[in-house]
Amino acid sequence: MTIPVNKLSDPAVRAFVTALNANDESALFEALAPDATMSDDGSDRDVRQWLDREVFASRGHMDVQSEAADGRVLVADYRNDTWGEMRTKWAFTVDGGKVSRFETGQA
């Protein structure tokens, strides 16, 4: 069963997912620390380029199925116009109320 975004436990992760699902670029970058990093399937990527391609240009959307580690690890059905839908795992590092790193990949 999908977890409503407004029920996600960690406020920084909740802000990230809310902005991603709204395709709100300014809100998503506001949820990230200025020097945030990320990886996709174990390979570090440029955050802005990855978000532009995998989220904003392709209308990415997360339906969260479960959360762990106080809301900083999510399993979600992620879909976008490029890849369709797949089960993904997301792990977030939060510092000072902002996401400083996220790691995603197939679950």
Side-chain angles (χ1 to χ4, degrees):
M1 186 163 94
T2 302
I3 299 172
V5 176
N6 66 349
K7 301 291 187 196
L8 294 176
S9 300
D10 187 280
V13 172
R14 187 168 56 242
F16 178 96
V17 176
T18 299
L20 185 151
N21 284 353
N23 206 21
D24 185 335
E25 187 171 349
S26 61
L28 188 51
F29 282 102
E30 179 62 28
L32 293 171
D35 57 351
T37 61
M38 63 89 53
S39 71
D40 183 2
D41 283 329
S43 297
D44 278 9
R45 305 280 188 223
D46 177 276
V47 173
R48 182 169 290 278
Q49 289 177 359
W50 189 89
L51 288 171
D52 284 346
R53 182 179 63 251
E54 300 293 339
V55 176
F56 304 123
S58 60
R59 297 185 326 196
H61 191 275
M62 294 171 71
D63 289 320
V64 178
Q65 302 302 316
S66 66
E67 64 174 2
D70 297 321
R72 294 189 177 174
V73 175
L74 306 178
V75 172
D77 291 331
Y78 185 78
R79 66 180 179 275
N80 67 25
D81 291 346
T82 302
W83 305 108
E85 185 170 312
M86 67 187 78
R87 181 64 54 109
T88 56
K89 181 178 178 182
W90 298 71
F92 296 89
T93 303
V94 176
D95 293 309
K98 304 270 188 184
V99 173
S100 61
R101 181 169 177 82
F102 65 94
E103 299 174 3
T104 186
Q106 292 195 46

